[in-house]
Amino acid sequence: MQRIARPSAALFASAAILVGLFHAEARAAINYSITFDDPENVFDATVRPLLESHAVAAGQRWAKYLVGDANIEVAIRPSTAVQFAEGGSVSSSFVRNNGAFDVFEQGMSAELRTGVDPNGADFDVLIEMNPNYVYDELWFDPDPVARTAVVDVNRTDAMSTFLHEFGHALGFSGWINANTGTFPGNYQSTYDERINFDGQNFFATGPAATALYGAPVPLTFGNVAHVANFSPRPGEDLILDVMNGLVFYRGSRYEISPLDLAILNDAGVPTFYLAGDYNDDRSVDGADFLIWQQQFGTAVLKNTAADGNNNGFVDAADLAVWQADFGEHFSGSVAATSPIPEPTAFALLIISAAAMATLVRNCVYSQRQRR
Ligand SMILES: [Ca+2]
Ligand SMILES: [Ca+2]
Ligand SMILES: [Ca+2]
Ligand SMILES: [Ca+2]
Ligand SMILES: [Zn+2]
């Protein structure tokens, strides 16, 4: 299909970032159902409700920024083959041929965008988790929706992990070789399509991400479905992004960032973001000002509450963001799209094999104490 209209430069020039208006539905109504692919009951009756509640809370946190409706079936599977946790959509859907490659989007986004489940009754998203990681490393939030309790300094925030894995399921995923920039065949993902490898480093080059970041966005060398690198490679400023491919610090919360949403939008995922909308009702008005006023001077989780400039603190800069966005609202207008060409059986066959092969992603984290 034709790629959906992208946000104009003018929109990014202001603090208002209306990232793609794709769908008649003004809000994503996403229902998540969680199943456990765990016949041995490795995940016991104590931990299963925690995994389920955190997976749903993370999925709904993404839904705040997504447009479209979907029923997303998520399978959680214990696996000692993964070091910590790995996740992604289990299917890919053909979008179009770009002249050199057949381009595929992630199954979760395909369902969100089209309303059609690309793999029918099979689960859409698989999250594999090492049992030791679940039992000995993750910290489960007493309220995974509110996310206000202090995170155990000796553990990794489970919500951050689930947010990260859903990022992969939505669009941070592909087939590009993370060291050489080559492709295994004549296919790539909508995420791959935006990557430039300059011979040394990888960058996301889509227009929304580039405009927001001010330059092509450094992706993790060797783990390229992520942002950030340690110096001397570029992107050390992105190490605290939830989609970073380097490290999750214990005792820290990670949140979906505007940059994550821009990268996904460039990958054709119907994301929506309005910086000055502090109460998440997709309209910037007096109610958001009141929230800013109440929270003025307080530290908050980045990009939540009245932190419009994403610095983790509610201050005068966030008032400026609100002012710049004042009167903006999500219109729910439909951008011009053309029908999705039916994928050929051949392409689907290839891609499903490739998708299975890459389900074990390079999603390796080393947990560290906060520095
Ligand atoms: Ca589904
Ligand atoms: Ca399905
Ligand atoms: Ca609002
Ligand atoms: Ca701020
Ligand atoms: Zn990852």
Side-chain angles (χ1 to χ4, degrees):
M1 59 152 278
Q2 184 185 335
R3 188 169 289 273
I4 292 140
R6 301 191 181 86
S8 69
L11 274 175
F12 277 94
S14 82
I17 302 170
L18 288 157
V19 182
L21 306 174
F22 305 95
H23 199 279
E25 297 298 317
R27 261 182 190 281
I30 305 182
N31 299 308
Y32 293 92
S33 45
I34 314 296
T35 57
F36 288 88
D37 180 14
D38 180 17
E40 310 283 317
N41 291 312
V42 171
F43 294 148
D44 62 26
T46 303
V47 82
R48 281 192 184 195
L50 296 171
L51 293 170
E52 177 169 0
S53 65
H54 285 64
V56 170
Q60 293 298 359
R61 210 161 183 96
W62 276 106
K64 286 199 309 186
Y65 306 110
L66 299 168
V67 183
D69 299 325
N71 293 307
I72 301 300
E73 292 78 32
V74 181
I76 298 177
R77 175 190 294 165
S79 172
T80 53
V82 304
Q83 194 176 2
F84 303 116
E86 290 176 5
S89 288
V90 298
S91 71
S92 308
S93 294
F94 179 78
V95 180
R96 72 193 131 70
N97 183 284
N98 65 10
F101 292 92
D102 286 336
V103 182
F104 292 79
E105 66 184 338
Q106 301 307 306
M108 180 176 173
S109 291
E111 180 168 343
L112 194 63
R113 206 173 50 72
T114 67
V116 177
D117 187 319
N119 69 351
D122 291 345
F123 54 80
D124 306 319
V125 173
L126 174 63
I127 300 175
E128 294 182 288
M129 309 184 84
N130 189 298
N132 293 334
Y133 184 66
V134 168
Y135 283 109
D136 302 335
E137 179 61 46
L138 289 185
W139 176 80
F140 293 99
D141 203 314
D143 186 342
V145 176
R147 304 187 80 193
T148 50
V150 175
V151 181
D152 185 336
V153 294
N154 294 313
R155 293 214 172 212
T156 297
D157 175 44
M159 269 297 287
S160 299
T161 295
F162 279 106
L163 288 172
H164 180 98
E165 303 311 337
F166 273 112
H168 288 308
L170 283 163
F172 283 82
S173 183
W175 295 281
I176 191 169
N177 183 300
N179 296 292
T180 64
T182 57
F183 287 89
N186 64 339
Y187 52 88
Q188 59 183 190
S189 70
T190 55
Y191 179 84
D192 289 329
E193 193 180 22
R194 297 302 198 175
I195 295 176
N196 175 53
F197 179 55
D198 67 6
Q200 288 193 307
N201 293 296
F202 293 87
F203 298 90
T205 61
T210 303
L212 188 59
Y213 188 65
V217 182
L219 303 177
T220 309
F221 184 83
N223 201 7
V224 76
H226 302 87
V227 299
N229 290 289
F230 290 121
S231 181
R233 290 187 185 275
E236 199 164 45
D237 56 316
L238 298 173
I239 285 175
L240 296 182
D241 195 286
V242 73
M243 293 314 298
N244 91 78
L246 302 169
V247 61
F248 267 2
Y249 292 104
R250 290 172 177 152
S252 294
R253 274 198 179 85
Y254 292 77
E255 178 58 296
I256 300 160
S257 72
L259 187 61
D260 301 328
L261 297 168
I263 290 170
L264 287 173
N265 193 255
D266 287 334
V269 182
T271 61
F272 165 91
Y273 180 66
L274 192 55
D277 180 18
Y278 298 150
N279 64 354
D280 294 320
D281 68 350
R282 304 206 172 192
S283 173
V284 180
D285 52 27
D288 303 302
F289 174 78
L290 284 177
I291 290 172
W292 173 83
Q293 214 173 26
Q294 288 159 3
Q295 298 179 339
F296 181 78
T298 61
V300 296
L301 186 57
K302 274 184 165 189
N303 194 32
T304 63
D307 182 23
N309 70 344
N310 199 33
N311 71 347
F313 197 74
V314 179
D315 51 21
D318 304 313
L319 179 63
V321 168
W322 173 81
Q323 282 173 325
D325 282 4
F326 183 76
E328 297 273 2
H329 63 279
F330 177 71
S331 68
S333 63
V334 182
T337 60
S338 62
I340 304 164
E342 286 301 311
T344 64
F346 179 66
L348 269 184
L349 199 66
I350 288 178
I351 217 69
S352 56
M356 292 314 291
T358 54
L359 268 178
V360 180
R361 290 191 171 80
N362 296 322
C363 190
V364 178
Y365 277 147
S366 55
Q367 275 74 22
R368 298 180 176 192
Q369 299 286 356
R370 181 198 285 273
R371 286 187 286 207

